[in-house]
Amino acid sequence: MAWPMTYDLSIYRGDSARWTFALWLEEEKTQPADLTGVTPRATIRHQIRLSLPCTVTSNQIEVTLSAASSASLHSPQVGHWD
């Protein structure tokens, strides 16, 4: 798997959102990555730093954005996250 990977997120200010990322050890996606003990973090960097809650289930990381948090995002229309 090539690192880092790039994922575009479309966010409408004031809406909630949820993304799920499945991690695999190889391109064929037959061996799930072992995320035991992993503490994922996600942050949107714009005029403010907005931390996004993350949860781990098996080889998946779920990232959530509440409506209240997305309402705090302002122009310009492009920001960065990791």
Side-chain angles (χ1 to χ4, degrees):
M1 177 176 287
W3 298 98
M5 308 268 313
T6 300
Y7 298 95
D8 293 332
L9 306 180
S10 294
I11 301 170
Y12 290 93
R13 190 170 41 227
D15 283 354
S16 61
R18 179 179 306 171
W19 301 273
T20 302
F21 301 95
L23 285 77
W24 302 92
L25 295 179
E26 27 63 275
E27 196 171 322
E28 294 77 27
K29 297 181 181 178
T30 60
Q31 296 180 342
D34 181 7
L35 301 179
T36 304
V38 171
T39 304
R41 290 181 282 172
T43 305
I44 294 176
R45 298 177 319 279
H46 184 39
Q47 295 170 340
I48 61 169
R49 288 183 74 88
L50 180 62
S51 294
L52 305 176
C54 300
T55 56
V56 173
T57 305
S58 184
N59 70 319
Q60 297 181 346
I61 298 174
E62 182 177 274
V63 180
T64 57
L65 175 65
S66 69
S69 292
S70 72
S72 69
L73 299 173
H74 301 284
S75 296
Q77 296 177 359
V78 176
H80 300 280
W81 79 283
D82 61 4

